[in-house]
Amino acid sequence: MTASASRTPGRIIATALLLAVLGGCSSAHPADRSDTPPVKSKADAQAWAQQITGHMARTAGIETDPSTIGALFTPCTGRNGETASDDRYILMYSVKSSVPRAQHPEAVRKIRDMLVGEGLTVKGYRETVDGKPDALVDAFHPNSRYSTTASTSGSADRMYLRIITPCLLPPSEEPSPTS
């Protein structure tokens, strides 16, 4: 079995997971930001972000440190700073991993290739700064509108994995009235 063939099931599973979790909830016109956001509980959004960062880590052959998980829920704000009264939110989820700095370029290269293969658009990429390992890949999913980052973090042998969700709407506590 080739390396490419052995990765195919993981890619299929990750893509199916992504589509089921966010992609299936996206509006038919993702560029129209006035559409109702996808409905997702904060717990489900955080579990999804953890699954995606875990997938990124496995792809790069690194292990994340659960003690470094950060999950920040912030209200969605409009173009003019307005917020809706329906508790819509954005999740900024991050986790770190201890990886020898010399391996950072290879790790982000693997993550970049996986993200591109799963339909994300790379917005930023580097492997070095001034000839020293200082790696970064920023990518965006055009349909689900989430962004992801893998990067060198600080001066130590740390890699940082981050997901930022699009605006999400928590499920309503009461069933909606029917007409």
Side-chain angles (χ1 to χ4, degrees), residues 121-137:
T121 302
V122 172
K123 297 291 187 177
Y125 183 80
R126 73 170 182 255
E127 293 184 8
T128 61
V129 171
D130 295 330
K132 297 178 184 170
D134 192 350
L136 166 85
V137 61

Side-chain angles (χ1 to χ4, degrees), residues 6-178:
S6 67
R7 287 186 293 217
T8 302
R11 285 185 179 164
I12 292 169
I13 291 168
T15 302
L17 177 66
L18 171 65
L19 290 173
V21 173
L22 279 183
C25 299
S26 294
S27 86
H29 305 286
D32 184 357
R33 305 279 186 214
S34 65
D35 286 349
T36 301
V39 175
K40 181 163 297 309
S41 73
K42 289 181 177 181
D44 287 346
Q46 186 168 338
W48 172 82
Q50 186 171 4
Q51 289 173 341
I52 296 300
T53 55
H55 179 50
M56 292 166 63
R58 286 187 301 279
T59 297
I62 61 178
E63 287 189 38
T64 59
D65 178 356
S67 71
T68 66
I69 290 173
L72 176 64
F73 294 91
T74 62
C76 294
T77 55
R79 197 176 330 222
N80 299 314
E82 68 276 8
T83 58
S85 61
D86 57 9
D87 294 325
R88 54 187 72 195
Y89 66 92
I90 292 172
L91 167 61
M92 291 178 268
Y93 178 92
S94 65
V95 65
K96 293 180 181 174
S97 179
S98 189
V99 180
R101 197 169 190 109
Q103 294 176 13
H104 289 199
E106 179 185 357
V108 296
R109 200 175 310 125
K110 288 176 180 178
I111 292 170
R112 177 200 60 195
D113 294 347
M114 177 271 296
L115 294 171
V116 168
E118 293 182 6
L120 282 82
T121 302
V122 172
K123 297 291 187 177
Y125 183 80
R126 73 170 182 255
E127 293 184 8
T128 61
V129 171
D130 295 330
K132 297 178 184 170
D134 192 350
L136 166 85
V137 61
D138 279 319
F140 178 76
H141 195 280
N143 295 327
S144 299
R145 300 190 311 239
Y146 75 91
S147 65
T148 185
T149 300
S151 67
T152 297
S153 176
S155 59
D157 290 343
R158 290 277 207 180
M159 286 212 67
Y160 172 78
L161 306 177
R162 180 186 72 195
I163 300 289
I164 300 176
T165 68
C167 193
L168 299 171
L169 187 62
S172 62
E173 294 181 356
E174 299 179 71
S176 58
T178 57

